[in-house]
Amino acid sequence: MEQQFESFRQQLDESVVVREQLRSIVSDLDSAIRLMHAALLPLYHHSSIEAIHKAKGHISEFQRLYTKLGEVLKSCPGEYYRYHDHWRNQTQQVIFLLSFVNWLEFGNLLSHGEVESLLDLQQKEFFVDLEDYLIGLCNMSNELPRYVVNQVTAGIYDCPKRVSLFLSDLYAAFRILNLRNDFLRKRFDGIKYDLKKVEEVLYDVQIRGLLNTSSQLASTVQPSTDELMQLQ
Amino acid sequence: MEQQFESFRQQLDESVVVREQLRSIVSDLDSAIRLMHAALLPLYHHSSIEAIHKAKGHISEFQRLYTKLGEVLKSCPGEYYRYHDHWRNQTQQVIFLLSFVNWLEFGNLLSHGEVESLLDLQQKEFFVDLEDYLIGLCNMSNELPRYVVNQVTAGIYDCPKRVSLFLSDLYAAFRILNLRNDFLRKRFDGIKYDLKKVEEVLYDVQIRGLLNTSSQLASTVQPSTDELMQLQ
Amino acid sequence: MEQQFESFRQQLDESVVVREQLRSIVSDLDSAIRLMHAALLPLYHHSSIEAIHKAKGHISEFQRLYTKLGEVLKSCPGEYYRYHDHWRNQTQQVIFLLSFVNWLEFGNLLSHGEVESLLDLQQKEFFVDLEDYLIGLCNMSNELPRYVVNQVTAGIYDCPKRVSLFLSDLYAAFRILNLRNDFLRKRFDGIKYDLKKVEEVLYDVQIRGLLNTSSQLASTVQPSTDELMQLQ
Amino acid sequence: MEQQFESFRQQLDESVVVREQLRSIVSDLDSAIRLMHAALLPLYHHSSIEAIHKAKGHISEFQRLYTKLGEVLKSCPGEYYRYHDHWRNQTQQVIFLLSFVNWLEFGNLLSHGEVESLLDLQQKEFFVDLEDYLIGLCNMSNELPRYVVNQVTAGIYDCPKRVSLFLSDLYAAFRILNLRNDFLRKRFDGIKYDLKKVEEVLYDVQIRGLLNTSSQLASTVQPSTDELMQLQ
């Protein structure tokens, strides 16, 4: 009995070591997320180009940390889901940041494949779980009403229209999924409220005839694609 | 004791079989609801005639599934309320969709009898519970402010007036009911907030003198009764 | 709209009337349960024959009240499960009392059919739901360890043996049921703990060599079948 | 966006199909566990040889169902831990049953490797998670005090000695593991209480000088290894 339990101890200790390695990496991931988030804050006041530029500077840190996660998992093949809880929340926040920044730059949805490529996850050991990707998109949706309100306050009156079109496309896309009564389903329901909120802002802008007055202003605050290309 | 419990086991297992049959049908009902809802989404941007037309195409699937629910219940007479929880939410959503589409077409309230006839529920085994019908109407009421906001944004300025008249009639009708402090009462209170929101939009439109400018636009977006008749 | 809602009001009011009638009857049922329960209390000190006799005197009140429940339900056929929540708990307590008293008298399990016959439920309008019956039996099981402890304290040393045999039969019978992860399943798991507790009392009695000393005492406290027959 | 989400829908639906297959197999596993458990119940009254014999007859059903689980997992390599929750509890119960029956027969601990070989799990797709194995052993430990109490009640007075030696070995073995403050740690603490309870029974037996009086009785109730060998 002793011999067997001695070998159990080794196995359990190995798993504890893996968990400690993961915890340490994920703690660094938390810091990187906080820094990228902080870099985006000026977005709500002014100078979105600079904010996006700064925020994108943190992506390389994500790459470094996800590469480390992949290396730890390389030592325990087939156990991605055994340790999934360690990085689940953080990955959802990373998806939020990446897809939000991508939308600010290009106005479209960052695909699941693009996320993995941005995070340098071409190795087989690590990947972005599909549900984590989708929840990350819900997080981005939840941020957009606040962004719209601040943009309109700053005089960028065409923002609600663009966001409402994007969110209704996203909402329609989520409806394609056959979501059962689970966590993802509840998060998806939230997109509808985000959309409704944005539509109300759009309504306010339209009813006051402000929509056509903003084109010039908007072009100065919302970065052009050319400008953004240079940042990459 | 064993013999008696053996017969109990059979009875409980039969009830599990019924529940599994119901779950499977209700899961299909969920898909049908999702599809009809998705068909209505373009309503919020353009082309309401087409959206209504597409949405109505899903009603036959509802008929098929409610017929199947009725067939399952035929095997357990008097147990409609034993299994009510299985289809309660879905039926409320179906009422929402049917009464919303009906209002879009005809501008009036779909009656309880009309719902049962639309769903082909003339058999005695299955019917629409009155409270489910009333909660479905509350759901429709909750959707109308969003509809009004989007219509006005699209330049259809007479929409708030029509909706406010309909909602105040609906609110008055609910007041006839002697509702105690229960779930239905809380949902009914929500109609008041929907009405208030629509009245605020109506006020915005009126104060800006927009009401008379929209007649032409509206007629191109809001389908006429004649056009709708051809769809049926 | 008004006419339709006027008829809805009538239907809802009728349902409120039914609920009020049920509430009033069930409140009387609560009193009858309390009284029968109180009548059984002396069981834990002395004179079990008298306690059983007194307790059985309350069964006729149960009959009267269940007949009234049946009459109310006669006016709304097929709606037993619509109003089930009103009497569910009380019926489970009634099953507990009837099956406990029956076990005290005859040492066997009161069958589902015997319960319905004791409550005079031969009409079709009212019946005892199978799950309520089974939960009532779990309630009886939960009472037995306390009964055993008190009997042994009173010097009736053969009681644990009889109860442990009865409970292990009951436990085995419940295992025949294919219970899923629901409320009944959790209640059934409790029988195992009751059985374990009784087995520990039996162990205490056996290890001290008390089992054979009690036969005389027991026969004077535990009523004989003849005595009980006269009580009926 | 639609195309991407259409492919997401397929992936999510595939995962739902896997979950439904697993649920169906695990439901059968529940039945098999229930039956093997029921077969062991007579152990607590009489005829342990027959009970063990009957119980072992259910192991082939476990083999069949774990083979089916392995086949489902073959279609999704590396996702054992993604779906682990589906069979976790059941596997712990299976370990409990197998290790208990093994102890009844041979008086020693069923090793992790022996469990996998009893369940025919030589394929790579499926294995018994180490923590599930250890929790299953804790479950067995929790059952032993009840077994001891019943054996002593039946006059088998050497049982507490044998169990207390086994449990103190098991407790010592668990102490080798470097368990942190987690679920397994709490379950392991339970072994200490089981051991204490058994030691109390052993004390009761010893203090009354019953230990040497039972050898004859015991040999008739507790099956000898020879008898058991013939059952295999």
Side-chain angles (χ1 to χ4, degrees):
Chain A
M1 210 189 282
E2 261 187 65
Q3 215 170 4
Q4 201 193 358
F5 273 72
E6 185 54 43
S7 107
F8 293 161
R9 191 188 57 73
Q10 279 167 31
Q11 288 175 59
L12 289 176
D13 284 358
E14 275 161 29
S15 138
V16 167
V17 168
V18 169
R19 287 185 192 280
E20 272 166 12
Q21 288 175 328
L22 293 174
R23 252 183 233 116
S24 154
I25 300 169
V26 169
S27 160
D28 289 350
L29 198 50
D30 268 326
S31 304
I33 288 166
R34 256 197 314 276
L35 289 171
M36 180 160 172
H37 213 156
L40 275 176
L41 287 182
L43 194 70
Y44 288 94
H45 304 296
H46 51 84
S47 67
S48 55
I49 296 181
E50 201 190 335
I52 294 169
H53 189 203
K54 271 200 168 174
K56 286 174 70 178
H58 295 279
I59 295 178
S60 60
E61 179 68 2
F62 289 163
Q63 291 172 348
R64 193 180 70 81
L65 293 166
Y66 276 99
T67 301
K68 283 182 80 175
L69 284 180
E71 275 159 17
V72 173
L73 284 183
K74 202 181 276 178
S75 69
C76 33
E79 302 193 341
Y80 177 95
Y81 285 107
R82 182 174 188 183
Y83 300 114
H84 187 192
D85 274 345
H86 285 276
W87 59 77
R88 192 194 288 255
N89 283 332
Q90 284 74 15
T91 298
Q92 293 166 3
Q93 286 177 272
V94 167
I95 306 297
F96 154 61
L97 289 168
L98 296 181
S99 59
F100 186 35
V101 164
N102 179 78
W103 180 83
L104 288 168
E105 281 197 343
F106 307 111
N108 60 19
L109 186 71
L110 191 70
S111 76
H112 184 255
E114 286 167 330
V115 168
E116 294 199 325
S117 135
L118 268 178
L119 295 176
D120 235 353
L121 296 174
Q122 275 85 8
Q123 316 115 300
K124 283 212 160 179
E125 292 80 33
F126 207 89
F127 55 91
V128 171
D129 177 74
L130 179 53
E131 297 198 14
D132 290 344
Y133 169 71
L134 294 170
I135 289 169
L137 299 188
C138 294
N139 291 346
M140 176 188 51
S141 164
N142 299 163
E143 186 71 14
L144 287 174
R146 188 187 161 215
Y147 176 72
V148 166
V149 163
N150 280 275
Q151 290 294 95
V152 168
T153 305
I156 305 160
Y157 299 123
D158 66 339
C159 180
K161 184 79 197 161
R162 281 184 289 118
V163 174
S164 86
L165 286 173
F166 175 71
L167 275 184
S168 59
D169 280 358
L170 188 67
Y171 184 66
F174 263 90
R175 288 197 73 89
I176 293 170
L177 309 177
N178 194 9
L179 299 175
R180 312 289 165 118
N181 289 319
D182 57 5
F183 180 67
L184 188 51
R185 164 100 212 186
K186 276 175 209 150
R187 295 301 317 275
F188 151 60
D189 285 342
I191 300 180
K192 192 175 174 179
Y193 292 97
D194 302 329
L195 176 54
K196 208 178 150 195
K197 175 79 189 152
V198 171
E199 286 171 347
E200 283 164 11
V201 178
L202 174 59
Y203 161 84
D204 283 342
V205 167
Q206 193 101 9
I207 199 94
R208 285 169 183 79
L210 295 168
L211 201 50
N212 298 324
T213 69
S214 72
S215 46
Q216 207 180 356
L217 241 176
S219 65
T220 62
V221 178
Q222 175 78 6
S224 73
T225 307
D226 282 358
E227 286 172 309
L228 288 161
M229 284 305 167
Q230 296 164 7
L231 297 176
Q232 287 170 7
Chain B
M1 208 189 285
E2 259 187 68
Q3 217 169 2
Q4 201 193 357
F5 273 72
E6 184 55 43
S7 107
F8 293 162
R9 190 187 60 72
Q10 280 168 30
Q11 288 175 59
L12 290 175
D13 284 359
E14 275 162 30
S15 139
V16 167
V17 167
V18 168
R19 287 185 192 280
E20 272 166 14
Q21 287 175 330
L22 293 174
R23 249 181 236 121
S24 154
I25 299 169
V26 169
S27 160
D28 289 350
L29 197 51
D30 268 326
S31 301
I33 288 167
R34 204 166 44 87
L35 289 170
M36 181 161 171
H37 212 156
L40 275 176
L41 288 180
L43 195 70
Y44 288 92
H45 302 297
H46 50 82
S47 66
S48 55
I49 296 181
E50 202 190 334
I52 295 169
H53 188 204
K54 270 200 169 176
K56 287 175 67 178
H58 296 278
I59 296 177
S60 60
E61 179 68 2
F62 289 163
Q63 292 173 348
R64 192 178 72 80
L65 293 167
Y66 276 98
T67 301
K68 283 183 80 176
L69 283 180
E71 275 160 16
V72 173
L73 284 183
K74 203 182 276 178
S75 69
C76 32
E79 302 194 338
Y80 176 95
Y81 285 106
R82 181 175 188 183
Y83 300 114
H84 187 192
D85 274 346
H86 285 276
W87 59 78
R88 192 194 287 255
N89 282 331
Q90 283 75 13
T91 297
Q92 293 167 2
Q93 286 178 270
V94 166
I95 306 297
F96 155 60
L97 287 168
L98 296 181
S99 59
F100 187 35
V101 164
N102 180 78
W103 180 82
L104 288 168
E105 280 197 345
F106 306 112
N108 61 20
L109 186 70
L110 191 70
S111 76
H112 184 256
E114 285 168 329
V115 168
E116 294 199 327
S117 135
L118 267 177
L119 295 177
D120 236 354
L121 296 174
Q122 276 85 9
Q123 315 115 300
K124 283 213 160 178
E125 291 81 33
F126 207 89
F127 55 91
V128 171
D129 178 74
L130 179 53
E131 298 197 14
D132 290 344
Y133 168 72
L134 293 170
I135 289 169
L137 298 187
C138 294
N139 290 346
M140 176 186 54
S141 164
N142 299 162
E143 185 72 13
L144 286 173
R146 188 188 164 211
Y147 177 71
V148 165
V149 161
N150 278 275
Q151 291 294 96
V152 168
T153 303
I156 304 160
Y157 298 123
D158 66 339
C159 180
K161 185 78 197 161
R162 281 184 289 120
V163 173
S164 82
L165 287 172
F166 174 72
L167 274 185
S168 59
D169 280 359
L170 187 67
Y171 185 68
F174 264 89
R175 290 191 68 90
I176 294 170
L177 309 176
N178 192 9
L179 297 175
R180 313 289 167 113
N181 289 320
D182 57 5
F183 181 67
L184 188 51
R185 165 97 213 187
K186 276 174 209 151
R187 294 303 315 274
F188 153 60
D189 286 341
I191 300 180
K192 197 173 173 178
Y193 293 98
D194 300 329
L195 178 54
K196 203 180 149 206
K197 173 81 190 152
V198 170
E199 286 170 348
E200 284 164 5
V201 177
L202 176 58
Y203 165 83
D204 282 346
V205 168
Q206 203 111 24
I207 203 95
R208 286 171 181 79
L210 293 169
L211 201 50
N212 299 324
T213 67
S214 71
S215 47
Q216 204 181 359
L217 242 177
S219 65
T220 62
V221 179
Q222 176 78 3
S224 73
T225 308
D226 282 359
E227 286 172 308
L228 287 161
M229 285 304 166
Q230 295 164 6
L231 296 176
Q232 287 169 11
Chain C
M1 210 189 284
E2 261 187 66
Q3 217 171 3
Q4 202 194 355
F5 273 72
E6 185 54 43
S7 107
F8 293 161
R9 190 187 59 72
Q10 280 168 32
Q11 288 176 59
L12 290 175
D13 284 358
E14 274 162 30
S15 140
V16 167
V17 168
V18 168
R19 287 185 191 280
E20 272 165 13
Q21 289 175 329
L22 293 173
R23 251 182 233 119
S24 154
I25 300 169
V26 169
S27 159
D28 289 350
L29 197 51
D30 267 327
S31 303
I33 289 166
R34 257 196 315 275
L35 289 170
M36 180 161 173
H37 212 157
L40 275 176
L41 287 182
L43 195 71
Y44 290 95
H45 304 296
H46 50 85
S47 67
S48 55
I49 295 180
E50 201 190 334
I52 293 169
H53 189 204
K54 272 202 169 173
K56 286 174 70 179
H58 296 278
I59 295 178
S60 60
E61 179 68 2
F62 289 163
Q63 291 172 348
R64 193 180 70 80
L65 292 166
Y66 276 99
T67 301
K68 283 183 81 175
L69 283 181
E71 275 158 17
V72 173
L73 284 183
K74 201 182 277 176
S75 69
C76 32
E79 302 194 339
Y80 177 95
Y81 285 106
R82 181 175 187 182
Y83 300 114
H84 187 192
D85 274 345
H86 284 275
W87 59 77
R88 192 194 288 255
N89 282 332
Q90 284 75 15
T91 298
Q92 293 166 3
Q93 286 177 271
V94 167
I95 306 297
F96 154 61
L97 288 168
L98 297 181
S99 60
F100 186 36
V101 164
N102 178 79
W103 180 83
L104 288 168
E105 282 198 343
F106 307 111
N108 60 20
L109 185 70
L110 191 69
S111 76
H112 184 256
E114 285 167 330
V115 168
E116 293 199 328
S117 134
L118 268 176
L119 295 177
D120 235 353
L121 296 174
Q122 277 84 8
Q123 315 114 298
K124 284 213 160 179
E125 291 80 34
F126 208 89
F127 55 92
V128 171
D129 177 75
L130 180 53
E131 298 198 14
D132 290 344
Y133 167 72
L134 294 170
I135 289 169
L137 299 187
C138 294
N139 291 345
M140 176 188 52
S141 164
N142 299 163
E143 187 69 15
L144 287 173
R146 188 187 160 214
Y147 177 72
V148 165
V149 162
N150 280 277
Q151 290 293 96
V152 168
T153 305
I156 305 159
Y157 299 123
D158 67 340
C159 180
K161 184 79 195 160
R162 281 184 290 118
V163 173
S164 85
L165 286 173
F166 175 72
L167 274 185
S168 59
D169 280 358
L170 188 66
Y171 184 66
F174 263 89
R175 288 197 73 88
I176 294 170
L177 309 177
N178 194 9
L179 298 176
R180 312 292 165 116
N181 289 320
D182 57 5
F183 181 68
L184 187 51
R185 164 100 212 186
K186 275 174 209 151
R187 296 302 317 274
F188 151 60
D189 286 341
I191 299 180
K192 192 175 175 181
Y193 292 98
D194 302 328
L195 177 54
K196 208 180 150 195
K197 175 78 190 151
V198 170
E199 286 171 349
E200 283 164 11
V201 178
L202 174 59
Y203 162 84
D204 283 343
V205 167
Q206 193 101 7
I207 200 95
R208 285 168 183 79
L210 295 169
L211 201 50
N212 298 325
T213 67
S214 73
S215 47
Q216 209 180 353
L217 241 176
S219 66
T220 61
V221 177
Q222 175 78 7
S224 73
T225 306
D226 281 358
E227 288 170 307
L228 287 161
M229 283 305 166
Q230 294 164 8
L231 296 174
Q232 287 168 10
Chain D
M1 210 189 282
E2 261 187 66
Q3 218 170 1
Q4 203 194 355
F5 273 72
E6 185 55 43
S7 107
F8 293 161
R9 190 186 61 71
Q10 280 168 30
Q11 288 175 59
L12 291 175
D13 284 359
E14 274 162 30
S15 139
V16 167
V17 167
V18 168
R19 287 184 191 282
E20 272 166 13
Q21 289 175 329
L22 294 173
R23 251 183 234 118
S24 154
I25 299 168
V26 168
S27 161
D28 288 350
L29 197 51
D30 267 326
S31 301
I33 288 166
R34 206 165 42 87
L35 289 171
M36 181 161 172
H37 211 158
L40 275 175
L41 288 181
L43 196 71
Y44 288 94
H45 301 296
H46 49 83
S47 67
S48 55
I49 295 180
E50 201 190 334
I52 294 168
H53 188 205
K54 269 200 170 176
K56 286 175 67 179
H58 295 279
I59 296 178
S60 61
E61 180 67 3
F62 290 163
Q63 291 172 347
R64 193 179 71 80
L65 292 168
Y66 277 99
T67 302
K68 282 182 82 175
L69 282 181
E71 276 160 16
V72 173
L73 284 182
K74 201 182 277 179
S75 69
C76 32
E79 302 194 339
Y80 177 93
Y81 285 105
R82 181 175 187 182
Y83 299 114
H84 187 193
D85 274 345
H86 284 276
W87 59 77
R88 192 194 288 255
N89 282 332
Q90 283 74 15
T91 298
Q92 293 166 3
Q93 287 178 269
V94 166
I95 306 298
F96 155 61
L97 288 168
L98 296 180
S99 60
F100 187 35
V101 164
N102 180 79
W103 179 82
L104 289 168
E105 281 198 343
F106 306 111
N108 61 19
L109 185 70
L110 190 69
S111 77
H112 183 255
E114 285 167 329
V115 167
E116 294 200 327
S117 133
L118 267 177
L119 295 177
D120 234 355
L121 296 175
Q122 276 85 8
Q123 314 116 298
K124 285 214 159 176
E125 291 81 32
F126 208 89
F127 54 92
V128 171
D129 177 76
L130 179 54
E131 299 198 13
D132 291 344
Y133 168 73
L134 294 170
I135 289 169
L137 299 187
C138 294
N139 290 345
M140 178 188 52
S141 164
N142 299 163
E143 186 70 15
L144 287 173
R146 188 186 163 213
Y147 177 72
V148 165
V149 161
N150 278 276
Q151 291 293 97
V152 167
T153 304
I156 305 159
Y157 298 122
D158 66 339
C159 180
K161 185 78 196 160
R162 281 184 289 119
V163 172
S164 83
L165 286 173
F166 174 72
L167 273 185
S168 58
D169 281 357
L170 188 66
Y171 184 67
F174 263 89
R175 291 190 67 90
I176 295 170
L177 309 177
N178 192 11
L179 297 176
R180 313 291 165 112
N181 288 319
D182 58 4
F183 181 69
L184 187 51
R185 166 96 213 187
K186 275 175 210 150
R187 295 302 316 274
F188 153 60
D189 285 341
I191 299 179
K192 196 173 174 180
Y193 292 97
D194 300 329
L195 178 55
K196 203 181 149 206
K197 174 79 192 152
V198 170
E199 285 170 349
E200 283 164 7
V201 178
L202 176 59
Y203 165 83
D204 282 346
V205 167
Q206 203 112 24
I207 203 96
R208 286 172 180 78
L210 295 169
L211 202 50
N212 299 324
T213 69
S214 72
S215 48
Q216 203 179 0
L217 240 177
S219 66
T220 62
V221 178
Q222 176 78 6
S224 74
T225 306
D226 282 357
E227 285 173 309
L228 286 162
M229 283 305 166
Q230 295 164 8
L231 295 176
Q232 288 168 11

